């Protein structure tokens, strides 16, 4: 699980983050383990993806800031590209990220 945590930090530091500083600087809870979740590849319902992620994270008592930081790690291919193009320092909550995500991908599933 250490590798996953480091990967998550890399992802946040590698690009200018779409998240505000209060999110990117929020410390990872010591017990945090990224749950095994399916990556989002645009074939699935984005609402379902968000709901599953939300439920799993809340079950672990994961704070909103960490939900934000963890979410991009389960985006694949074009979904990941979409995330990388979000404006820096604009996202302040997971709810905001969810809305952007769903609005962008709803109706794309084949």
């Amino acid at each position: 699980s250490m590798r996953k945590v480091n990967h998550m930090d890399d992802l946040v530091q590698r690009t200018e983050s779409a998240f505000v500083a209060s999110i990117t600087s929020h410390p990872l809870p010591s017990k945090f383990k990224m749950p095994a979740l399916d990556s989002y590849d645009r074939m699935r319902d984005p609402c379902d993806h968000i709901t599953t992620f939300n439920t799993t994270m809340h079950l672990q008592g994961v704070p909103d800031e960490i939900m934000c930081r963890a979410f991009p790690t389960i985006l694949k291919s074009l979904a990941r590209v979409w995330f990388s193009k979000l404006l820096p320092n604009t996202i302040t909550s997971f709810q905001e990220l969810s809305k952007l995500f769903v609005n962008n991908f709803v109706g794309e599933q084949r």
Side-chain angles (χ1 to χ4, degrees):
S1 96
M2 269 318 290
R3 237 191 50 234
K4 276 187 171 150
V5 169
N6 291 339
H7 169 65
M8 199 153 82
D9 283 343
D10 289 349
L11 200 69
V12 168
Q13 259 102 56
R14 201 170 54 230
T15 54
E16 266 200 281
S17 178
F19 302 122
V20 293
S22 59
I23 290 175
T24 53
S25 64
H26 192 92
L28 276 173
S30 55
K31 290 191 196 66
F32 178 72
K33 236 179 70 114
M34 184 67 186
L37 290 160
D38 289 336
S39 291
Y40 183 75
D41 58 6
R42 295 165 74 221
M43 293 300 142
R44 294 175 52 216
D45 176 2
C47 299
D48 178 56
H49 184 69
I50 288 278
T51 305
T52 305
F53 181 82
N54 243 326
T55 310
T56 310
M57 290 301 203
H58 282 146
L59 205 63
Q60 279 200 37
V62 176
D64 192 79
E65 292 89 346
I66 302 305
M67 285 174 64
C68 286
R69 288 175 56 188
F71 189 71
T73 67
I74 57 166
L75 298 178
K76 276 204 309 222
S77 59
L78 287 166
R80 182 166 283 223
V81 171
W82 165 81
F83 178 79
S84 72
K85 289 182 176 165
L86 294 173
L87 289 174
N89 301 312
T90 52
I91 296 172
T92 61
S93 69
F94 187 71
Q95 190 184 8
E96 215 171 312
L97 178 60
S98 303
K99 265 191 200 143
L100 287 170
F101 174 77
V102 171
N103 289 343
N104 191 75
F105 292 106
V106 78
E108 282 216 1
Q109 318 80 261
R110 307 282 167 265

